[in-house]
Amino acid sequence: MERITKFRAVFLVTLVGLVLSFFCIKLYLMQNSEQVGAASNVTTYKTRTRVRATRGDILDTNGNVLVTNRASYDLVFNHYVILNSGNPNQRLLELGTLCKKLGIEYIDHFPVSDTWPFTYTLDQLSSTWKTYFQLFLVNRGDMDSDISAPLLMEQLRKSYAIPEEWSDEDARMVIGLRYEITLRNGVTNLSNYVFLEDASETELAAILELNIPGLRVEASSVRSYNTVYAAHALGYVGAMSAAQWEQYRPLGYEMDALVGQSGVEQAFEEYLHGVDGIRVDEVTKDGTVIRSWYEVEPKSGNNVEISLDLMIQMAAEDKLAEVIEGLRAQEEGKAGLDVEGAAVVAIDVKTGQVLVSASYPTYDPAQLLADYTNISTQPYTPLLNRALTGTYPPGSTYKMVMAIAGIQTGTVERETTVWDKGVFSKYGFSANCLYYSNYGYTHGHVNCEHALKWSCNYYFYYLADKIDINYIDSISKGLGLGERTGVELYEQVGVRANPQNKARLFAGTESANWYYADGIMNGIGQSLNAFTPMQLASYTMGLANQGTRYKATFLNRVISSDYRQLILENKTQVLSELPITDEAYAVYLDGMKLVASDSQGTAYSTFKNYAVSVAAKTGTAESSPGASANGAFVCFAPADDPQIAIAVYGEKAGGGGKLAPVAKEILDVFFGFSTGDTDSLENQLG
């Protein structure tokens, strides 16, 4: 009996459940049928919108974020909605007129001038946009590819039903917008038309008040700089040129993608860029979004940690500016009063990592694109990256090359002395020792160490006369002068003074011949010699390492966008190894130490009683006639266990000794004798 009762209870519960399930399913099907029926009466259209990937951050070697992104807003057209709005021309005229009134520059690729007489502006477009224009003409079917600009405008006025009473300027404005929209309406596979990028709050408020059909706000991001320092090294992003489009198109870049144009932004583009996404929107005629999904998910770029140390960079730039501006403030007649630009580079001797790369004058990278015309026309070309692209005669900083050549060929030994006569004369050529020219005295008997300490030109004229130029050139090349340093950023190679380069540079002229004077002047770093401050820093690193030169690099490591995964860690690479004998090394090392520590050394006034032993060399090189001489300064420290190498160069600075304080400021921060401007660092990074 009990078993029968349980069976009935289970049966009743099951029956009730089945009945309820039946009615629930029935109700769902009825509701779904109503929704489907309602939706079937609504015409929808699918549009594709590119979602720009967030670019990776750039950090310094200590993890300080130097360049990041800030939220921005773009105004994007849904071409389906505006074309079905009833009177698109009038609405587009209102939009264009407002932008003209407020000075808002929107995106317009239509290759016809803004005013009558109409002419083509195809030369301002990339090859791809030119192709899109040809596709536009072909798609219309009623226009020849060689149609004139005025006739094109006349036909488009009719095709787009532009009112006859409208002015040519208004017609051109609306036709330009219709052209952009038409390209997205079956002519090409371009995503929705981005009308305005990074719109300000004021621009958004004014434009949105017009309530233009199909024009909506899309969230995006733009580059944001947390520092005004290292502008030349960090670089900037911008729209692609035609040549860049050919380079990046195979990598899947959209034609209007922003890419690195210089500096770190360009060098590490592949890591920073990310992958843009494509969002598909299903919209109704009035612009209502029914549903959205990603056809391609956006993928943020990786973060790049570079080798620059922001604290040292700040100290270097501030001191460089102070020194140059101090020279300009001198009384009339002083050497260096006409100083122009300058640069400084510091390299980790053990790894080749670039700790400092600065060029003066500089600019605020956050203002570059907005104020490009003003910045580019400022005195002394602030956009020029002198550290990597300025090439200059090294002057007496070249003399360590001569010292090595002299010792290793046996031309002189450590204690060999040369009598400084003040004027070196031979074969009808004569050149003065600078000390003799300035003071009328000579250095007397000079050995190699003292020749470096005093920077005695006569001694090095003597070596240049005795040693084959090809051997000297092999030492210069082995230490990286006139050679690539390995940095990822764009650099000029420079040129060494040798018969081969002179023949190449002056081919077909009498100047192509190598003369005795060329070799003598090469001995003091003049003649054809022209090197970048980056090369001088790499050269100094080679001197510090007794001939071993590491690949100079700005890269420390690459980290995933969420900072959780190490993508790449840069490894130290030997770039070149020049055999330098122990005797030659000891001679130039001791000579460079005397430059900074001996009371008669050319950098003693800056480094006297310095807590760390410094090996240094000053240089004075001819510039233009009647102008102050250029100044060069190189050093490494500690002298007996080198860690850092520095090169400073000043155009018309009046001599290398004037630049030594810049190197000292870097050493102070590097070795912890000065903490740097920590308040300024905090202000920079917010």
Side-chain angles (χ1 to χ4, degrees):
M1 185 68 177
E2 184 178 351
R3 179 179 294 177
I4 294 174
T5 302
K6 287 182 178 180
F7 174 77
R8 288 176 177 174
V10 171
F11 176 77
L12 288 173
V13 170
T14 303
L15 180 62
V16 171
L18 289 172
V19 171
L20 288 174
S21 298
F22 171 78
F23 281 109
C24 286
I25 293 171
K26 186 71 173 177
L27 179 62
Y28 170 78
L29 291 174
M30 290 175 64
Q31 290 176 336
N32 190 56
S33 176
E34 291 174 0
Q35 291 174 354
V36 170
S40 66
N41 294 322
V42 178
T43 301
T44 63
Y45 190 86
K46 294 184 180 68
T47 61
R48 301 165 74 249
T49 300
R50 182 168 62 87
V51 180
R52 184 169 290 162
T54 302
R55 197 169 176 85
D57 294 341
I58 300 174
L59 304 86
D60 82 341
T61 190
N62 297 313
N64 296 310
V65 179
L66 307 179
V67 186
T68 184
N69 307 283
R70 64 170 173 80
S72 68
Y73 298 96
D74 299 340
L75 284 171
V76 182
F77 260 116
N78 184 315
H79 53 273
Y80 172 74
V81 175
I82 183 64
L83 292 178
N84 288 278
S85 63
N87 192 355
N89 289 340
Q90 183 61 40
R91 303 314 306 273
L92 292 175
L93 177 63
E94 294 171 10
L95 176 62
T97 301
L98 177 66
C99 289
K100 184 177 181 180
K101 177 182 177 181
L102 298 179
I104 299 173
E105 296 185 7
Y106 55 86
I107 297 172
D108 179 356
H109 295 105
F110 185 54
V112 173
S113 60
D114 293 335
T115 58
W116 177 267
F118 294 118
T119 58
Y120 283 120
T121 58
L122 287 163
D123 58 326
Q124 300 176 17
L125 297 181
S126 69
S127 59
T128 304
W129 277 108
K130 291 176 183 176
T131 300
Y132 285 152
F133 179 62
Q134 293 301 319
L135 287 174
F136 170 78
L137 297 179
V138 170
N139 182 261
R140 293 192 57 81
D142 58 349
M143 294 181 180
D144 297 327
S145 59
D146 59 351
I147 187 173
S148 68
L151 183 56
L152 171 66
M153 289 295 295
E154 181 181 337
Q155 293 195 20
L156 288 178
R157 284 190 74 136
K158 295 177 182 177
S159 177
Y160 289 142
I162 304 294
E164 292 184 3
E165 63 272 17
W166 283 16
S167 68
D168 288 328
E169 289 74 15
D170 285 348
R172 162 60 183 84
M173 183 165 55
V174 171
I175 288 172
L177 296 172
R178 292 293 300 264
Y179 169 76
E180 293 282 1
I181 291 168
T182 302
L183 288 180
R184 277 86 177 169
N185 193 34
V187 176
T188 71
N189 62 350
L190 287 170
S191 59
N192 281 343
Y193 169 35
V194 179
F195 171 75
L196 183 62
E197 293 180 327
D198 192 22
S200 67
E201 292 183 5
T202 302
E203 292 169 341
L204 286 174
I207 293 174
L208 292 178
E209 191 174 339
L210 294 177
N211 196 28
I212 303 297
L215 189 63
R216 66 176 186 271
V217 178
E218 291 280 350
S220 187
S221 65
V222 294
R223 250 357 200 176
S224 176
Y225 296 85
N226 292 339
T227 179
V228 297
Y229 293 91
H232 298 89
L234 293 174
Y236 68 99
V237 296
M240 282 187 283
S241 65
Q244 288 174 322
W245 171 233
E246 295 303 319
Q247 173 188 352
Y248 289 117
R249 177 165 54 179
L251 303 179
Y253 280 48
E254 292 287 340
M255 187 184 60
D256 58 347
L258 301 177
V259 298
Q261 297 293 338
S262 68
V264 169
E265 292 278 23
Q266 181 182 45
F268 304 119
E269 168 69 24
E270 62 177 301
Y271 300 120
L272 293 165
H273 185 72
V275 179
D276 290 350
I278 298 294
R279 190 188 70 238
V280 180
D281 297 322
E282 187 174 358
V283 298
T284 62
K285 182 178 180 180
D286 64 359
T288 302
V289 179
I290 302 297
R291 62 190 182 114
S292 300
W293 66 93
Y294 277 110
E295 188 176 275
V296 177
E297 290 273 356
K299 182 181 178 182
S300 298
N302 295 311
N303 303 313
V304 173
E305 184 178 282
I306 60 176
S307 58
L308 295 184
D309 186 313
L310 181 58
M311 183 63 80
I312 307 178
Q313 179 80 24
M314 291 169 58
E317 289 195 33
D318 290 346
K319 192 64 177 181
L320 189 64
E322 177 188 319
V323 167
I324 300 304
E325 289 164 12
L327 289 173
R328 290 178 184 158
Q330 297 177 110
E331 61 187 45
E332 201 68 35
K334 290 285 188 178
L337 182 66
D338 52 342
V339 66
E340 296 181 353
V344 57
V345 175
I347 293 181
D348 186 322
V349 167
K350 308 293 186 184
T351 65
Q353 290 194 322
V354 180
L355 305 175
V356 171
S357 180
S359 183
Y360 179 88
T362 186
Y363 58 90
D364 183 349
Q367 301 301 318
L368 178 60
L369 296 182
D371 199 24
Y372 180 84
T373 301
N374 179 49
I375 294 173
S376 63
T377 56
Q378 289 296 307
Y380 309 119
T381 56
L383 294 179
L384 176 63
N385 185 355
R386 290 169 165 84
L388 273 75
T389 63
T391 56
Y392 311 101
S396 295
T397 61
Y398 184 85
K399 288 175 179 175
M400 283 75 78
V401 170
M402 299 304 299
I404 295 168
I407 297 294
Q408 295 193 166
T409 58
T411 303
V412 291
E413 296 180 351
R414 185 183 185 100
E415 297 304 324
T416 301
T417 61
V418 173
W419 176 252
D420 175 10
K421 298 179 182 179
V423 179
F424 184 90
S425 300
K426 196 170 184 179
Y427 305 127
F429 169 81
S430 66
N432 289 10
C433 185
L434 189 61
Y435 187 71
Y436 180 79
S437 297
N438 290 339
Y439 305 107
Y441 299 101
T442 75
H443 292 113
H445 288 287
V446 185
N447 65 15
C448 193
E449 292 172 26
H450 290 132
L452 289 171
K453 176 184 72 173
W454 288 321
S455 203
C456 176
N457 283 352
Y458 191 97
Y459 183 92
F460 295 100
Y461 292 147
Y462 173 84
L463 292 182
D465 175 49
K466 299 292 185 181
I467 307 171
D468 181 78
I469 182 59
N470 292 310
Y471 184 77
I472 295 172
D473 187 60
S474 70
I475 301 297
S476 179
K477 178 179 180 180
L479 287 169
L481 296 176
E483 298 290 311
R484 296 194 180 280
T485 66
V487 289
E488 299 84 359
L489 280 60
Y490 175 77
E491 64 172 335
Q492 287 285 0
V493 178
V495 62
R496 293 189 307 278
N498 59 43
Q500 297 76 24
N501 281 335
K502 193 175 186 193
R504 174 177 57 85
L505 293 172
F506 298 96
T509 70
E510 187 176 333
S511 298
N513 297 323
W514 182 259
Y515 296 106
Y516 176 77
D518 294 320
I520 298 300
M521 297 309 294
N522 175 69
I524 61 167
Q526 294 282 173
S527 188
L528 296 178
N529 288 311
F531 312 125
T532 66
M534 180 63 72
Q535 284 181 335
L536 289 177
S538 178
Y539 156 73
T540 308
M541 170 175 56
L543 293 171
N545 291 329
Q546 198 171 343
T548 298
R549 195 166 58 98
Y550 295 108
K551 175 184 179 293
T553 178
F554 280 87
L555 180 62
N556 190 2
R557 57 180 182 163
V558 180
I559 313 162
S560 63
S561 59
D562 59 5
Y563 287 92
R564 294 183 178 181
Q565 182 181 356
L566 179 64
I567 305 298
L568 173 70
E569 186 162 17
N570 198 14
K571 303 296 183 183
T572 301
Q573 300 178 43
V574 174
L575 192 60
S576 67
E577 291 185 282
L578 174 71
I580 297 178
T581 65
D582 290 343
E583 182 184 6
Y585 177 70
V587 167
Y588 74 71
L589 176 61
D590 289 346
M592 292 178 72
K593 288 163 70 173
L594 290 174
V595 169
S597 63
D598 189 279
S599 60
Q600 295 181 324
T602 55
Y604 177 73
S605 61
T606 299
F607 289 102
K608 60 183 177 182
N609 303 319
Y610 197 64
V612 171
S613 176
V614 177
K617 187 71 191 78
T618 58
T620 302
E622 293 180 1
S623 59
S624 54
S628 295
N630 292 331
F633 181 82
V634 299
C635 71
F636 56 84
D640 298 312
D641 183 20
Q643 297 178 37
I644 183 173
I646 303 170
V648 193
Y649 205 97
E651 300 165 351
K652 303 178 183 177
K658 299 175 185 293
L659 303 171
V662 179
K664 180 179 178 293
E665 187 75 13
I666 292 173
L667 295 179
D668 284 347
V669 179
F670 181 82
F671 289 116
F673 304 144
S674 168
T675 58
D677 192 347
T678 53
D679 290 339
S680 179
L681 177 64
E682 291 176 0
N683 291 335
Q684 286 288 306
L685 302 174

